[in-house]
Amino acid sequence: MPIVAAIILPGLPHPVLKPEISAWAQIAAASAAAGKALAAARPDSLLIYSTQWIAVLDQLWQARPEMDGIHVDENWYELGDLPFHIRTDTALAEACIAGTAEIGIRSKPVDYDSFPVDTGTLVAQHFLNEDAALPVVSTSNNLYHDWHKTEALGGVARSVAEKTGKRVAAIGVGGLSSRMFRAPIDPHTDHFAEPGDDAANRALLSRFEAGDCDGVRRQSADMAAAMPTDFGLKHLAFLLGATGGDFKGATVHGYGPIYGTGAAAVELHL
Amino acid sequence: MAKGEILAGFLAPHPPHLVYGENPPQNEPRSQGGWEPLRWAYERARKSIEELKPDVLLVHSPHWMTHVGHHFLGVPRLSGKSVDPIFPNLFRYNFALDVDVELAEACAAEAAESGLVTQMMRNPNFRVDYGTITTLHMIRPQWDIPVVGISANNSPYYLNTKEGLGEMDLLGKATRRAIEKTGRRAVLLASNTLCHFHFHEEPEIPEDMSCEHPQNYAGYQWDMRIIDLLRRGRTKEVFELLPTFIEEAFAEIKSGAFTWMFAAMDYPEIPAELHGYGTVIGTGNAVMEWNLARLAEAARGQAA
């Protein structure tokens, strides 16, 4: 099996930068627990799809061998900086780029000093690979790709991993419901922006726990049609593609609100 | 302290291609030119800035997108390398800019008085977005005038266009009060494209102008209709049409800068000067000027 682990992580920086806030501390602990599960699967590389890396032209793949820097989120700069060190699995990235052409998606490598790595990718790096022990392939959220195309993209990543023989962990970085408070809140009182968002999120997570791939697809579509979600939950589509929808269940390591939105750290059972 | 005033407002779009085409020393990639009519339009706008000699340039950028309120740059000097996440092959720009923090704070305070959520950005490691930098470079490449940088709160997307632009109206009026109270002679820059339909693939040579034309004919027709009205000073009519224009032409002015600028200028019914129009990967871009200082001077001349 080339995909040896599949993880969902929220991409907002609050659990990394303010773990002393109880609501965010439980998400931080859950993300760290997902990291332990990932390590137990002994992957050779991480494959990260983050909703916060926005692409408009082409599908972008990070191809810079090493990246260091300090990232400041454009919204949450007051919470602090995110220092980072990332190593890229350039061979796997190149293989993915070549592979997407077969399904009609034009891809491009990104290899530039000071390229603005997105917050979601860095949050995943923090919880899953802080010492950069594992090389990473990260890819973007093309705004014009729908659920179906994104699932196909995940499928390409799976078939590429199969060909290379590498043990790859697939990570979908993003939130669930994305209705956010539009005025400052007391973080200690963080809660869901709408009670209905909480219910919808829980219904989605229960589909994962039941190993119901079609149910995940249906619930995701229903949610995206009825309420604000994190880019239509396309990070979940990518994970379904990467796993071939072949998961037996899931462990929800933690779930809760971040500034009103839905956040969950989930380990899929493959 | 003399009462401050808005000298002029500019529609000043921010395709990074224009910086790339110009080959300034701050930008790493090199080009063979391209998008000349738009770059020459900015040359004319630069001459106006030189004549106006403002104390400060205020820019509202859709590429600093904030969820919780309207944010203002609040660090006296910011520097670094800004790489466009969409066009990193074209825009890797080493910037250094001075912020008029006093005016930014006044704008934030006035906007808060109007009931808007505001926040000052105080993190010295903050990387300024490429929209702000492109507009500022194209209008004043010397970087010798302090700036106020304002984020695009996502209210027109989170709420609806009418409610969101209603917030931008309040923000514009608050900006005007802050300028008047602080005694600044200010120029406003609305960093917005008009029709925003674009191609989904870049030509192999990005500056190959044989590939450049409007992506969408209906969008182009909308742009001409709006520009024509603005050139005739029919501002009220433009704002009546704005929600339909935004919807049918996917106009980037939805993000609010255009409304912010006009509200700050009190929606003047004066003819705009069109410095130039052109497309960038198919989107419609107009560089336009509303020179209030020239108008006031003419009025004074007539009175005398």
Side-chain angles (χ1 to χ4, degrees), chain B residues 167-180:
Chain B
E167 281 203 8
M168 299 313 299
D169 174 78
L170 292 175
L171 185 67
K173 289 168 179 165
T175 301
R176 179 174 73 240
R177 290 195 301 274
I179 288 166
E180 288 172 352

Side-chain angles (χ1 to χ4, degrees), chain A residues 54 56-57 60 72 74-75 77-78 81 106 108 112-116 144 179-184, chain B residues 64-67 71 81 83 87-89 92 119 121 123 125 127 153 155 158 198-202:
Chain A
I54 303 297
V56 174
L57 306 178
L60 302 180
V72 178
E74 68 176 352
N75 274 281
Y77 48 78
E78 81 276 15
D81 301 346
R106 200 168 90 154
K108 263 190 185 172
Y112 301 103
D113 171 50
S114 302
F115 181 84
Y144 295 99
R179 207 184 317 258
M180 185 177 278
F181 294 114
R182 300 195 63 250
Chain B
W64 179 15
M65 197 180 293
T66 52
H67 299 302
H71 297 211
K81 186 196 278 189
V83 177
F87 297 103
N89 54 325
R92 304 190 298 280
Q119 185 168 311
M121 197 299 296
N123 188 324
N125 294 325
R127 182 151 48 176
N153 179 237
S155 51
Y158 199 95
H198 57 79
F199 300 118
H200 290 260
E201 292 186 1
E202 257 187 328

Side-chain angles (χ1 to χ4, degrees), chain B residues 58 213 229 241:
Chain B
L58 294 93
H213 57 86
L229 289 170
L241 286 170

Side-chain angles (χ1 to χ4, degrees), chain B:
Chain B
M1 182 194 301
K3 186 180 173 187
E5 62 177 325
I6 295 170
L7 304 174
F10 288 81
L11 182 58
H14 56 260
H17 306 64
L18 305 183
V19 174
Y20 170 70
E22 187 180 291
N23 289 315
Q26 298 99 322
N27 198 35
E28 285 180 0
R30 296 289 99 184
S31 72
Q32 302 170 69
W35 302 280
E36 281 80 4
L38 268 173
R39 292 196 285 112
W40 294 335
Y42 265 114
E43 279 185 12
R44 288 187 281 276
R46 286 171 181 176
K47 281 184 187 161
S48 284
I49 295 289
E50 185 63 32
E51 288 165 13
L52 288 165
K53 299 192 187 320
D55 300 324
V56 60
L57 304 171
L58 294 93
V59 57
H60 186 284
S61 167
H63 292 284
W64 179 15
M65 197 180 293
T66 52
H67 299 302
V68 185
H70 305 265
H71 297 211
F72 299 80
L73 296 180
V75 176
R77 187 166 177 81
L78 289 160
S79 62
K81 186 196 278 189
S82 179
V83 177
D84 179 353
I86 307 294
F87 297 103
N89 54 325
L90 308 183
F91 190 85
R92 304 190 298 280
Y93 189 98
N94 291 290
F95 71 93
L97 57 84
D98 294 314
V99 176
D100 186 338
V101 177
E102 183 188 349
L103 176 57
E105 288 172 342
C107 290
E110 289 290 338
E113 279 282 308
S114 298
L116 300 179
V117 174
T118 63
Q119 185 168 311
M120 295 298 298
M121 197 299 296
R122 307 283 192 190
N123 188 324
N125 294 325
F126 188 81
R127 182 151 48 176
V128 180
D129 71 283
Y130 77 91
T132 295
I133 292 172
T134 295
T135 287
L136 286 169
H137 173 90
M138 293 310 297
I139 206 83
R140 187 68 177 175
Q142 300 92 324
W143 292 95
D144 57 354
I145 300 173
V147 308
V148 170
I150 309 173
S151 78
N153 179 237
N154 67 349
S155 51
Y157 301 92
Y158 199 95
L159 304 169
N160 59 49
T161 301
K162 190 179 173 193
E163 290 172 318
L165 295 185
E167 281 203 8
M168 299 313 299
D169 174 78
L170 292 175
L171 185 67
K173 289 168 179 165
T175 301
R176 179 174 73 240
R177 290 195 301 274
I179 288 166
E180 288 172 352
K181 286 181 182 175
T182 55
R184 301 296 197 272
R185 300 173 70 256
V187 163
L188 308 179
L189 306 170
S191 180
N192 276 166
T193 287
L194 298 176
C195 171
H196 207 241
F197 289 119
H198 57 79
F199 300 118
H200 290 260
E201 292 186 1
E202 257 187 328
E204 195 167 330
I205 301 170
E207 59 267 42
D208 178 354
M209 291 296 102
S210 69
C211 301
E212 190 62 82
H213 57 86
Q215 193 271 354
N216 183 287
Y217 179 48
Y220 173 80
Q221 288 178 308
W222 257 118
D223 281 1
M224 293 306 112
R225 184 179 177 187
I226 293 294
I227 289 169
D228 181 52
L229 289 170
L230 290 170
R231 292 181 70 219
R232 289 192 278 149
R234 290 163 65 174
T235 302
K236 187 168 178 238
E237 201 171 333
V238 167
F239 275 85
E240 284 167 359
L241 286 170
L242 213 58
T244 314
F245 172 48
I246 286 170
E247 187 182 332
E248 295 187 3
F250 189 41
E252 196 188 35
I253 58 175
K254 180 173 183 172
S255 61
F258 186 78
T259 303
W260 161 77
M261 178 176 75
F262 266 94
M265 297 192 301
D266 201 19
Y267 300 96
E269 294 272 333
I270 59 171
E273 183 172 357
L274 174 68
H275 290 302
Y277 176 87
T279 62
V280 178
I281 59 160
T283 66
N285 297 270
V287 181
M288 304 185 82
E289 175 179 355
W290 291 263
N291 194 316
L292 305 181
R294 195 177 296 149
L295 197 74
E297 195 176 306
R300 280 194 294 271
Q302 277 186 343

Side-chain angles (χ1 to χ4, degrees), chain A residues 201-262:
Chain A
N201 292 333
R202 288 182 187 278
L204 177 60
L205 293 173
S206 72
R207 306 287 192 280
F208 274 107
E209 289 173 316
D212 178 4
C213 183
D214 285 338
V216 169
R217 287 194 188 98
R218 278 196 305 274
Q219 177 66 12
S220 297
D222 289 349
M223 283 176 66
M227 56 195 281
T229 57
D230 192 0
F231 288 99
L233 304 166
K234 288 197 291 178
H235 55 303
L236 306 184
F238 185 84
L239 270 195
L240 294 194
T243 58
D246 185 21
F247 62 96
K248 300 170 182 64
T251 298
V252 178
H253 288 287
Y255 160 71
I258 300 180
Y259 234 83
T261 69

